[in-house]
């Protein structure tokens, strides 16, 4: 919501008593224009006939085409971009997808007005697709590996790769080592993999490449350096941080394995640029950002062991405490077939002689532990027949090494009004600092649309007697991703719904398929909520159904409760931007969200707790 909209709300509040008095006298009143359709964007004040919102001037991307969006001053005037006629929405917004060519590329917009044709230009940079290399000997320096500094260990492979003129002889050497011939695995692509042996010790050096064609040759040097060490001498300890944990990823780019809290220590087994490879256990490694850990050298960390496991039954949760000799990294998975969940503790040997149950316990049936591998302890929690896990959360108590696993029961519900008393965290996605590339054709900011939708959902939740919570308390709040999830846990939310509106990546044709709403989930315990929300949208929202999707999204990875992310519309389409600026459409979205929540809590009320 913009400052303009807040001023409108303040004015309405100030004049409400007089308005009520006139109604009491029986006067016929028209609703103020602002309440009929208060836009999330201010009236168009651009002095130019054509305004580009996307792409920004000088934007760099690769592809055969891209989309453009913006607005014109005369919605009915003929409008062209690079000679192609472009449709304009009645409010002046436009969206187009046009072809491009590599290099500096100019979009020329022409708007035919009564006084003549107005012209506006937008210049972008289009990355050239890899062009075939000619007959003269050439090496593509951008293809030479390694691209970033690598630290390797025995069993790793150094991949030597270069792109050059096809059909030639290419060789490479690491530092001052011997020259190795590369094999042409595809036209113009040359490769060889070099194994790191048990006793190899390589200083950090670049790889030199040479392509020969008779008497002619081309040379190049990799931008990154590779080193190898036969001994593990470095350890990574998770630093204290605002999020309370860091992410261990499956590779340097993405994919999530575990979330070790501060104090957890892991062996470093390699480096790729700013990412460190760490060992969770003997058969599993992952990657962490080097800035999130503190490095130290020394002897191997002692093997951690488990001790007593105890259960405490509370009204809405069962707490499982696991005593350990130190802080271990862990990962949990919900297993519906198992009828509970499994918590895996890495670098831990089982020495648990006691599992102590609470005599009041009626949710958890049994706790078992097994040594899955030499350094992996699996703690399996089996629920009583018919019970369902609503969510779980694990953390270390204070500064100690006692791990507290909270298992949440389905919430108590009133059959006639299942949302009564339910605490629902509504998350208006994005922040004021993220406005670039998140505006509609008329300048509607996604964060404002998300916030307005959140207010509409809150209003309907209150009607059902729910307790709505919100991550962004004002439209201008900056709230980090991890903080949003933490808020939900700390404030005892029963469900988490993140509201967003969609766009498409650079170079994508937005018209390639119908665009509308979609619902994302991550954990099995969130699937029922996601399905019910999608049903609500199918009934209430007149847009294309892009379906239920599993998505590796930060807020959806919240484990303590069902958590989903909804893309309510595609705000880059002028007609969908207009809908988002219509309170009636926002009411339909809010009704769809509350319908899905209501059905999920109704289903929860039918299950044994």
């Amino acid at each position: 919501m913009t400052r303009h909209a807040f001023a409108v709300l303040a004015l309405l509040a100030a004049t409400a008593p007089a308005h009520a008095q006139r109604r009491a006298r029986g006067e016929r009143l028209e609703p103020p224009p602002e309440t009929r359709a208060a836009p999330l964007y201010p009236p168009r004040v651009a002095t130019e006939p054509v305004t580009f919102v996307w792409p920004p001037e000088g934007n760099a991307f690769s592809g055969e085409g891209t989309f453009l969006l913006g607005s014109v001053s005369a919605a009915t005037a003929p409008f062209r971009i690079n000679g192609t006629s472009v449709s304009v929405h009645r409010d002046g917004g436009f969206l187009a997808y046009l072809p491009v060519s590599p290099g500096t590329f100019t979009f020329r917009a022409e708007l035919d007005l009564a006084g003549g044709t107005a012209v506006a230009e937008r210049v972008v940079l289009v990355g050239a697709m890899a062009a075939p290399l000619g007959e003269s000997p050439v090496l593509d320096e951008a293809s030479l590996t390694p691209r970033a500094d690598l630290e390797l260990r025995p069993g790793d492979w150094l991949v030597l790769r270069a792109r050059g003129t096809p059909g030639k002889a290419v060789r490479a050497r690491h530092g001052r080592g011997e020259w190795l011939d590369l094999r042409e695995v595809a036209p113009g692509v040359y490769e060889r993999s070099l194994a790191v042996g048990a006793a190899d010790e390589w200083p950090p050096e670049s790889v030199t490449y040479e392509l020969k064609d008779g008497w002619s040759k081309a040379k190049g040097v990799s931008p990154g350096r590779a080193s190898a060490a036969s001994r593990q001498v470095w350890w990574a300890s998770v630093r204290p941080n605002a999020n309370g944990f860091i992410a261990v990823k499956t590779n340097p780019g993405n994919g999530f394995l575990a979330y070790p809290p501060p104090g957890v220590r892991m062996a470093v087994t390699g480096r790729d640029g700013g990412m460190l490879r760490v060992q969770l256990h003997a058969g599993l490694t992952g990657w962490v950002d080097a800035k999130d850990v503190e490095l130290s050298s020394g002897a191997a960390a002692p093997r951690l062991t488990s001790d007593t496991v105890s259960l405490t039954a509370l009204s809405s949760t069962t707490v499982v405490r696991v005593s350990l000799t130190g802080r271990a990294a862990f990962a949990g998975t919900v297993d519906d077939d198992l009828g509970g969940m499994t918590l895996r503790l890495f670098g831990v040997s089982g020495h648990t002689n006691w599992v102590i149950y609470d005599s009041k316990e009626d949710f958890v049936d049994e706790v078992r532990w097994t040594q899955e591998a030499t350094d992996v302890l699996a703690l399996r929690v089996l629920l009583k027949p018919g019970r369902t896990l609503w969510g779980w959360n694990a953390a270390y108590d204070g500064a100690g090494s006692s791990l507290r696993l909270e298992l949440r029961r389905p919430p108590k519900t009133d059959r006639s009004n299942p949302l009564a008393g339910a605490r629902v965290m509504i998350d208006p996605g994005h922040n004021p600092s993220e406005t670039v590339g998140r505006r509609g054709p008329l300048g509607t900011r996604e964060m404002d649309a998300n916030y307005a939708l959140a207010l509409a959902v809150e209003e309907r939740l209150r009607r059902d007697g729910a307790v709505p919570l919100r991550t962004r308390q004002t439209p201008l709040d900056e709230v980090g991703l991890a903080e949003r999830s933490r808020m939900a846990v700390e404030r005892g939310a029963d469900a988490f719904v993140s509201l967003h509106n969609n766009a498409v990546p650079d170079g994508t044709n937005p018209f390639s398929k119908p665009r509308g709403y979609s619902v994302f989930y991550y954990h099995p315990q969130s699937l029922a909520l996601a399905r019910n929300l999608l049903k609500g949208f199918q009934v209430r929202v007149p847009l294309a159904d892009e379906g239920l999707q599993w998505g590796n999204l930060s807020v959806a990875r919240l484990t303590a409760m069902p958590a989903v992310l909804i893309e309510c519309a595609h705000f880059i389409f002028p007609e969908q931007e207009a809908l988002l600026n219509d309170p009636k459409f926002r009411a339909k979205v809010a009704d769809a969200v509350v319908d899905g929540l209501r059905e999920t809590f109704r289903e929860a009320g039918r299950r044994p707790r």
Side-chain angles (χ1 to χ4, degrees), residues 44 46 50-57 59 67-72 81 92-95 122 435-446 506 571-572 577:
R44 189 179 190 278
V50 179
T51 300
F52 285 109
V53 170
W54 187 267
E57 183 74 17
N59 186 53
F67 65 91
L68 302 92
L69 61 117
S71 63
V72 298
I81 301 178
F94 69 84
L95 173 67
R122 180 54 47 99
T435 57
V436 176
R438 299 191 182 278
R439 292 180 183 269
L442 286 183
T444 303
R445 298 186 300 184
E446 186 196 348
D506 254 350
F571 69 100
I572 63 172
E577 179 189 38

Side-chain angles (χ1 to χ4, degrees), residues 153 232-239 241 245-249 257-270 276-281 284-290 292-302 304 327-330 345-347 375:
R153 295 292 187 273
Q232 295 180 186
V233 295
W234 292 101
W235 295 85
S237 298
V238 179
R239 299 177 186 271
N241 60 83
F245 58 86
I246 66 169
V248 179
K249 300 183 178 182
L257 281 175
Y259 304 91
V264 170
R265 194 180 186 203
M266 298 167 287
V268 177
T269 64
L276 299 176
R277 187 177 61 196
V278 294
Q279 185 172 326
L280 292 174
H281 65 80
L284 182 64
T285 59
W287 296 83
V288 298
D289 195 318
D292 291 332
V293 297
E294 183 175 347
L295 293 176
S296 61
S297 59
L304 303 179
R327 291 195 169 195
F330 56 82
L345 302 166
F346 303 125
D375 51 357

Side-chain angles (χ1 to χ4, degrees), residues 85-108:
S85 180
V86 175
S87 297
V88 177
H89 190 262
R90 62 178 177 272
D91 61 12
F94 69 84
L95 173 67
Y97 177 80
L98 296 171
V100 296
S101 56
T104 301
F105 187 87
T106 302
F107 290 106
R108 178 184 173 88

